[in-house]
Amino acid sequence: MMKLKVYADRMSQPSRAVIIFCKVNGIQFEEVLISLGKRQQLSPEFKDINPMGKVPAIDDGKIKLFESHAILIYLSSAFPSVVDHWYPNDLSKRAKIHSVLDWHHTNLRPGAAGYVLNSVLAPALGLPLNPKAAAEAENILTKSLSILESFWLKGNAKFLLGSNQPSIADLSLVCELTQLQVLDDKDRLRLLSPHKKVEQWIENTRKATMPHFDEVHEVLFRAKDRFQKHREMETASNPGPQSKIIQFSSIGGKSDDPNLVQNTTDRRKTRRKWRPPEDVILISAWLNTDKGPTVDNDQKGCAFWKRIGAYFSNCASLANLPKREGSHCKQRWAKINDRVCQFVVCYDQALNQRTSGQSEDEVFKVAYQIYYNNYKSNFTLEHAWRELRHNKKWISSNTSENPKGGGSSKRTKLNGGGAYSSSSNPESQPIALDGEEEVMDRPLAVKSSKQKGKKVATKTTIEEEREADSRSRLENLWALKEKDVEEQKKLTRMEVLKSLLGRTTDQLSEKEETLKNRLIDEML
């Protein structure tokens, strides 16, 4: 039997719904990327799967099917592993699900997708923003949210149609609304916050499909970060008329007119994502190199990260992967360090809120939620936190001996013996690295402990200042690079316009005439 193939692009809301459904219900499938930004949906090969040239589509050897609602219905019926609540056998319940799905396509979808496209996403596809179309879509979206609140979500049930379990209608509609994450936070809250039932329903559906919901939507959160950085740079540079020039997102999209973006796409390089095993090796390298007794404060930054890179490159478990330079390790470490430090604070808050009988997993979920509320993004470095959580720099202020906070007791009994150690001297606590047995350092005298504590504090402060200075220089360089790219785009447009103006109207095609008028409007 042929393995199910799902042709999708995770930037597409219906694609995400189909992928999440398969993962939640244990349906084995092969995900085939059809990049909308590269217009792969228009290729002859894909049109053999879906003549309409849209994603998602599936092929299981028996049928080639497109349209996400039809796909969800088919998968619910074809695979025995799918639980009944997704698409019940009861005909009356099925009819109600169909009514929601039909309403979705003519109301919620044009509202949500239309608003996001015309207010944020259009430049990524080589199109200009359209405030008028965005306003029309917002009107449809607002009405749709009100109908969801007052009709489809009436009563106290957690999901649509009075159900306590999600259906394919819940999943499809929630994926539609989750695309609002790419908006500015204030704009998104302006649209959603008046509809408390809708917000709670979105969260209920997310929890019912975790962890797959967040994993599949990660591409959306990354896109949001890129859009947010772009907005911040525009605000900081106080853009003038040139801000009307079409922006090309790093999501991977291409413009309809290749002459305008060729220089940009030629310079674009593919970035290889870091994998959790690589993060773990990097953390081990940082810990071991940082603790070397021969380097201390005499070690220069470039030499330090060169040693980190060498440690990383010599790891046998990464032999089949491309090498990482010291600069790559430094950039990745900065991200890991920042995010883990942020999560440690959130985890401390969750421990402070811990109630009697609350398990460690429940505390962890609360910490995840606090992180999301604080930073408007999901914490994706749990593996890094677990590697670092027992190290002095990232250790929680709430120990397991005192889960309600307030610090640990002054004297802590050591492993299986009658000896005690003072919690005021962190140097006396055992630390295990890379699977080695725990070794108890000899406690320092009070005066020596104070002096060493001052040196460590000074060293930490210097390191933090150096890291902050390095990040500042990188940000300045990035801003200059962005400005240079914008200037080059402007010059390219001016060259194209100059060549068009040098030809008479009867020498121009309709497309060239339209392009000439658009460029004139932008330059003015």
Side-chain angles (χ1 to χ4, degrees):
M1 181 178 178
M2 176 181 173
K3 187 176 182 180
L4 174 69
K5 290 186 177 181
V6 177
Y7 299 85
D9 183 335
R10 294 193 180 190
M11 280 301 293
S12 152
Q13 305 85 261
S15 292
R16 294 195 298 272
V18 171
I19 293 172
I20 292 171
F21 181 83
C22 290
K23 286 177 174 285
V24 169
N25 288 285
I27 298 174
Q28 297 297 317
F29 70 100
E30 176 188 351
E31 183 178 347
V32 182
L33 173 62
I34 303 297
S35 175
L36 299 178
K38 297 179 180 178
R39 302 187 180 278
Q40 292 177 352
Q41 76 276 18
L42 303 179
S43 67
E45 294 80 8
F46 180 68
K47 284 200 170 183
D48 183 53
I49 305 296
N50 181 3
M52 304 302 165
K54 295 182 179 180
V55 291
I58 64 169
D59 182 3
D60 67 352
K62 299 177 182 178
I63 184 175
K64 295 176 181 177
L65 190 62
F66 48 92
E67 291 297 330
S68 62
H69 294 168
I71 292 172
L72 291 172
I73 292 170
Y74 173 75
L75 295 176
S76 299
S77 306
F79 287 86
S81 61
V82 177
V83 185
D84 183 69
H85 65 76
W86 288 106
Y87 189 61
N89 289 321
D90 185 285
L91 291 180
S92 62
K93 292 181 179 179
R94 285 190 175 187
K96 290 181 179 180
I97 288 175
H98 281 270
S99 69
V100 176
L101 294 177
D102 289 347
W103 174 84
H104 169 211
H105 260 322
T106 55
N107 293 273
L108 187 62
R109 180 158 179 74
Y115 183 75
V116 171
L117 173 66
N118 290 291
S119 60
V120 174
L121 198 58
L125 302 175
L127 302 172
L129 296 178
N130 190 332
K132 182 179 179 181
E136 294 173 354
E138 180 181 348
N139 186 41
I140 298 173
L141 175 60
T142 302
K143 291 180 180 178
S144 299
L145 291 171
S146 297
I147 293 174
L148 270 172
E149 184 97 357
S150 61
F151 183 72
W152 298 119
L153 291 171
K154 62 184 177 182
N156 297 319
K158 296 171 64 176
F159 300 98
L160 296 172
L161 306 174
S163 173
N164 287 319
Q165 294 289 341
S167 69
I168 58 175
D170 292 280
L171 182 57
S172 184
L173 271 64
V174 166
C175 285
E176 189 72 60
L177 285 174
T178 306
Q179 69 180 304
L180 299 179
Q181 284 287 345
V182 303
L183 301 175
D184 177 81
D185 288 335
K186 291 182 180 179
D187 197 21
R188 178 174 54 82
L189 291 174
R190 176 181 64 82
L191 295 169
L192 286 179
S193 59
H195 308 282
K196 300 303 180 185
K197 282 188 176 181
V198 171
E199 288 186 315
Q200 185 59 53
W201 161 66
I202 293 173
E203 182 61 21
N204 291 341
T205 305
R206 173 181 171 270
K207 289 180 178 178
T209 53
M210 284 291 285
H212 307 297
F213 189 93
D214 280 358
E215 184 261 317
V216 175
H217 279 88
E218 184 180 354
V219 63
L220 205 62
F221 299 131
R222 291 199 301 267
K224 175 185 178 178
D225 290 340
R226 287 194 290 269
F227 285 126
Q228 182 62 33
K229 289 178 181 177
H230 181 70
R231 284 191 289 264
E232 290 173 355
M233 285 189 292
E234 278 193 334
T235 302
S237 61
N238 190 23
Q242 65 270 24
S243 64
K244 296 182 181 179
I245 295 176
I246 297 175
Q247 305 293 327
F248 297 95
S249 168
S250 57
I251 292 174
K254 293 185 179 180
S255 169
D256 286 335
D257 186 354
N259 293 325
L260 299 182
V261 296
Q262 187 62 44
N263 291 336
T264 301
T265 55
D266 286 345
R267 290 191 299 269
R268 184 177 297 155
K269 295 182 179 179
T270 302
R271 299 179 63 184
R272 183 166 62 89
K273 292 176 61 176
W274 283 74
R275 302 177 182 178
E278 292 181 289
D279 286 339
V280 172
I281 298 299
L282 175 60
I283 290 169
S284 176
W286 190 92
L287 290 172
N288 289 323
T289 304
D290 184 60
K291 294 178 181 296
T294 61
V295 294
D296 291 333
N297 290 330
D298 296 330
Q299 183 174 210
K300 294 183 179 180
C302 58
F304 174 79
W305 286 107
K306 186 176 181 180
R307 295 183 65 196
I308 292 284
Y311 184 108
F312 190 90
S313 300
N314 292 330
C315 181
S317 61
L318 304 178
N320 296 327
L321 295 176
K323 301 297 183 183
R324 300 278 192 184
E325 300 294 335
S327 58
H328 301 153
C329 295
K330 182 178 181 180
Q331 293 170 4
R332 181 61 177 175
W333 173 252
K335 180 177 180 180
I336 290 175
N337 185 32
D338 289 345
R339 301 286 172 83
V340 171
C341 286
Q342 292 170 350
F343 186 76
V344 168
V345 175
C346 299
Y347 187 74
D348 278 349
Q349 293 177 14
L351 285 175
N352 285 328
Q353 299 172 15
R354 189 175 193 174
T355 58
S356 178
Q358 193 174 28
S359 68
E360 181 67 21
D361 287 341
E362 291 172 332
V363 172
F364 195 73
K365 290 180 180 178
V366 173
Y368 254 94
Q369 187 60 48
I370 293 173
Y371 186 94
Y372 181 82
N373 293 339
N374 289 348
Y375 304 105
K376 307 306 178 186
S377 63
N378 292 291
F379 182 63
T380 58
L381 295 173
E382 177 185 343
H383 57 281
W385 172 73
R386 293 194 181 280
E387 291 292 322
L388 293 167
R389 63 181 299 191
H390 298 301
N391 193 274
K392 287 180 294 182
K393 184 176 179 180
W394 299 273
I395 196 168
S396 170
S397 61
N398 297 285
T399 64
S400 58
E401 290 81 6
N402 187 16
K404 292 185 179 181
S408 60
S409 61
K410 291 185 178 180
R411 290 165 62 83
T412 304
K413 193 170 184 178
L414 301 181
N415 298 339
Y420 288 81
S421 68
S422 171
S423 64
S424 64
N425 180 12
E427 294 295 329
S428 66
Q429 302 300 321
I431 298 175
L433 295 176
D434 300 330
E436 298 177 357
E437 295 183 358
E438 295 183 351
V439 180
M440 179 59 63
D441 295 336
R442 178 183 177 185
L444 300 175
V446 174
K447 186 177 293 185
S448 299
S449 177
K450 289 181 178 180
Q451 292 175 350
K452 186 166 185 177
K454 291 178 180 179
K455 292 180 181 178
V456 171
T458 303
K459 179 181 177 181
T460 302
T461 302
I462 293 173
E463 289 177 349
E464 290 175 349
E465 289 176 352
R466 287 176 178 173
E467 290 178 1
D469 183 63
S470 177
R471 284 197 297 271
S472 177
R473 288 198 298 269
L474 286 173
E475 289 172 355
N476 290 336
L477 288 173
W478 181 254
L480 291 173
K481 181 179 179 181
E482 287 287 321
K483 185 176 180 180
D484 180 62
V485 169
E486 292 303 321
E487 290 297 327
Q488 290 184 9
K489 288 179 183 177
K490 184 177 179 180
L491 290 174
T492 301
R493 284 165 171 74
M494 291 178 67
E495 289 296 326
V496 173
L497 180 58
K498 183 178 178 180
S499 66
L500 294 175
L501 290 174
R503 296 155 63 185
T504 60
T505 303
D506 58 333
Q507 292 177 328
L508 297 175
S509 66
E510 183 179 353
K511 184 177 180 180
E512 289 173 330
E513 183 67 22
T514 302
L515 176 62
K516 182 185 75 173
N517 293 333
R518 189 178 72 179
L519 290 173
I520 292 174
D521 292 339
E522 290 173 352
M523 296 303 173
L524 294 178

